[in-house]
Amino acid sequence: MKKTKMITLLSLLVGGAASGAPTGPELPKEVKTMDCLVGKWNGAVTMKVGDSSTGVKMTWDCRHASGNFGVQCKAEMTGIPGMKLYQETDLFGYDPGAKKYHWFSVTNGGETHDHQAPIPEGNVIEFVYDGLQEGKPFKEVIKMSFGADEKSMDFSSETFVEGKSTALMQGKASKK
């Protein structure tokens, strides 16, 4: 009896969720815009912390997610001081109510951020995360500029603690 109730409940939940999903063939323009991320990226980054700078290599593998309403990526970086391999899992999505993009990221450095960006007017998008680091105000600003062919990208990531820049990463990546 319990098994039958559970199956019935699951059927109702799944059926209810499916009936509330958009049924039209067209994804919103803001969602389709995220397609520029899809693919396998390779890049070279310069990371500057204080007076020290180092070269970092990165890969970023991005695929469609959630019925093409999102993009899921896995990044790996080598060359970051103090870490043999830096790993990050990302999920990009668009919130039509707030008219903002979200970039959720989780890293093996213990970071979990929800970056947000307004709809860009050109080929540059700026994601910002505001939070705390060791109880102090922390901000991360990531800018990405895509080439017209969507196979190249310039990017920067700058972090601030208490309003002071603490690290800057700048680089280029290309899509295979």
Side-chain angles (χ1 to χ4, degrees), residues 73-125:
C73 305
K74 293 193 180 208
E76 291 190 345
M77 294 184 207
T78 56
I80 293 178
M83 296 192 82
K84 183 176 179 180
L85 178 66
Y86 182 85
Q87 297 173 310
E88 180 172 309
T89 302
D90 302 309
L91 182 61
F92 291 85
Y94 177 70
D95 177 359
K99 294 186 171 99
K100 288 191 178 201
Y101 288 96
H102 286 262
W103 172 359
F104 300 95
S105 63
V106 178
T107 75
N108 67 332
E111 302 156 307
T112 305
H113 296 166
D114 174 12
H115 308 85
Q116 296 182 34
I119 298 170
E121 293 186 19
N123 67 335
V124 178
I125 188 164

Side-chain angles (χ1 to χ4, degrees), residues 13-33:
L13 288 173
V14 171
S19 67
T23 57
E26 286 295 313
L27 293 170
K29 177 184 79 161
E30 295 84 3
V31 172
K32 285 194 255 183
T33 299

